[in-house]
Amino acid sequence: MKTKIIATLLLIGLASFPAWGKTDPVQQFEGGTKYIFDYVPVVALKGSWKDMGRQYGHLLSDNIKEVYDLVAPYKDLYNKACGKQNSEIIEAFYQSYPEKIKEFFHGMSETSGLTLEQLKTANALEIILMFGTGIYNSRCSGLGVWDKYSKDGQVVYGRNYDYNTEFLVLNDDIVVTVFHPDDGSVPAAICAWAGCIYASSGINRSGIFIEENDCSGHDKLAAGIYKTDDHFNIKNWVQDDALLLTLLITAKNLDEADLWMKSNLPIYPHNIGIADKNEARCYQWNIPERIPHAPYVQ
């Protein structure tokens, strides 16, 4: 049920920027506003990336702390999935962001009550608590239908964010974030745990919807799922979800999204669902060593 609600919020947030019908704001800070939609926190942010980070940090401080508290016991441990220290993975993930998203993190550090280092740790939730701890044993999935396969011929897209019961403790910390950047970027909304700044699923004002699925089963070598001594060599797939945030705030139509997918290659193999109001596409988004990189099936 919560998944259905979040999917609806993504659509509402982008279809009616920034109107929220009869839902009243529960908190405001600087240019940002927080709403609660059927128990789901929703934040609408405005301004520079640092300004939006300050708003996000203040409005979601309690939620971000809960995410950090779950990850913190593992932050200094060795990650047997990646063959690296978690602290190294956390820092490398943060350094992969463009400068404007780093500014967002700096803004969060000024208002959330957490240090920049703690925020980096919370952001690495998935890669730290998945293969590295042995908790993760499931996969996400997505499905899009349209034309004669859907009511009224409209595109209907569903995504199953498939995680284990250990993540239920963060069920109330899954948030919808709506970005209204003042730098000319396309306004966009994402759904993730508080403090996790990436687009595993999201939609932008132009109506471009994206969702990510792990396809390491198709290419285990590209994903690093092979053993060396005491560890596997798995790459940080969440780093690619962060890259997809750039797609959301850039693409104005499917042609631009298609070009972006072929010009920005990941470090880990994924199936990426991309849709607009007319059709959905499935991309085999693979590492540079694999050809072709991003074909799609309509």
Side-chain angles (χ1 to χ4, degrees), residues 71-124:
V71 187
Y74 302 95
K75 65 183 180 64
D76 296 318
L77 300 183
Y78 177 68
N79 192 308
K80 290 185 178 181
C82 303
K84 301 176 181 178
Q85 296 296 127
N86 280 334
S87 56
E88 181 182 350
I89 297 169
I90 291 167
E91 183 61 25
F93 186 17
Y94 173 75
Q95 293 300 335
S96 74
Y97 280 99
E99 286 303 315
K100 61 184 175 183
I101 307 299
K102 289 180 181 177
E103 283 296 304
F104 188 92
F105 278 88
H106 281 281
M108 280 196 287
S109 70
E110 294 178 358
T111 59
S112 65
L114 281 77
T115 66
L116 179 59
E117 296 306 311
Q118 290 173 322
L119 291 167
K120 293 178 186 178
T121 299
N123 187 56

Side-chain angles (χ1 to χ4, degrees), residues 188-260:
I190 61 172
C191 171
W193 292 280
C196 297
I197 312 303
Y198 45 81
S200 49
S201 60
I203 190 170
N204 70 17
R205 180 181 272 179
S206 301
I208 301 299
F209 169 80
I210 64 172
E211 59 90 21
E212 179 271 338
N213 310 284
D214 179 354
C215 74
S216 58
H218 298 290
D219 196 336
K220 292 186 177 181
L221 185 64
I225 304 179
Y226 59 90
K227 198 165 186 180
T228 302
D229 299 325
D230 68 337
H231 65 273
F232 288 90
N233 297 271
I234 295 170
K235 301 168 186 176
N236 185 354
W237 77 91
V238 196
Q239 185 172 318
D240 295 329
D241 291 357
L243 187 60
L244 289 173
L245 178 56
T246 304
L247 166 60
L248 266 189
I249 62 174
T250 302
K252 296 183 176 65
N253 52 57
L254 278 184
D255 287 340
E256 291 186 7
D258 182 75
L259 178 61
W260 189 96

